Amino acid sequence: MALSKPYLDVPGTTIFDAEQSRKGYHLNQFCMSLMRAENRARFKAGERAYLDEWPMTEEQKQAVLARDLNRCIALGGNIYFLAKIGATDGKSFQQMAGSMTGMTEEEYRDMMIAGGRSIAGNRFVGEDGDAQAHRQPQGAAGRKG
């Protein structure tokens, strides 16, 4: 019997639940490996070769190589683990979050300081708010995974 997941209807949001955790286990373990300087150096010296040491799916590896963090999340990545990729690239969490919304770092910061996205039109999938998939840089594809 499948669990009821009413939170799947929240636009612009992927909840990191048990299913996502299982799906992204190896992706997240790869990210955690980047906490060690020698692993960061190996990854930067040959990203594909380093990724091939991990039993991730090809789609997960391609998302990492493209630095498509939205896709990584859809494929089971946890943002707190994915932040290790950003740190390896010399990016702040704010820069990463901005890139995930299609905004500059400054635009993202200003939006958050102003209170974040409006709830109007963003209560459930299918409304017309700015968090809806069709208004995001990943588009409707961001809901797959």
Side-chain angles (χ1 to χ4, degrees):
M1 177 171 87
L3 296 175
S4 171
K5 297 183 179 185
Y7 53 79
L8 293 178
D9 199 29
V10 178
T13 303
T14 299
I15 304 297
F16 190 74
D17 60 7
E19 183 179 345
Q20 285 295 102
S21 178
R22 283 188 297 277
K23 186 174 11 174
Y25 178 80
H26 295 293
L27 169 59
N28 292 316
Q29 290 298 303
F30 149 74
C31 291
M32 290 303 291
S33 80
L34 298 177
M35 291 183 65
R36 299 183 60 137
E38 60 268 23
N39 291 338
R40 289 190 300 274
R42 286 181 54 225
F43 176 61
K44 293 306 281 183
E47 293 185 3
R48 181 61 201 222
Y50 189 76
L51 286 172
D52 284 342
E53 296 177 21
W54 296 88
M56 295 187 284
T57 67
E58 182 61 25
E59 193 172 9
Q60 288 170 327
K61 292 176 185 180
Q62 289 300 319
V64 170
L65 291 170
R67 300 305 194 266
D68 185 343
L69 300 176
N70 289 315
R71 191 71 193 133
C72 286
I73 287 175
L75 296 170
N78 179 292
I79 190 58
Y80 297 106
F81 296 146
L82 295 171
K84 310 303 186 244
I85 299 170
T88 298
D89 289 340
K91 305 238 186 238
S92 71
F93 197 85
Q94 187 169 285
Q95 287 171 312
M96 292 174 56
S99 76
M100 293 170 71
T101 60
M103 297 178 191
T104 66
E105 178 183 8
E106 294 76 21
E107 290 169 334
Y108 179 79
R109 181 199 59 227
D110 292 347
M111 177 194 67
M112 295 306 289
I113 289 172
R117 290 187 168 138
S118 167
I119 193 162
N122 293 316
R123 290 177 183 87
F124 57 85
V125 173
E127 290 185 306
D128 201 30
D130 60 357
Q132 296 288 328
H134 68 282
R135 298 198 185 278
Q136 295 302 300
Q138 72 272 24
R143 294 185 54 215
K144 294 179 189 172

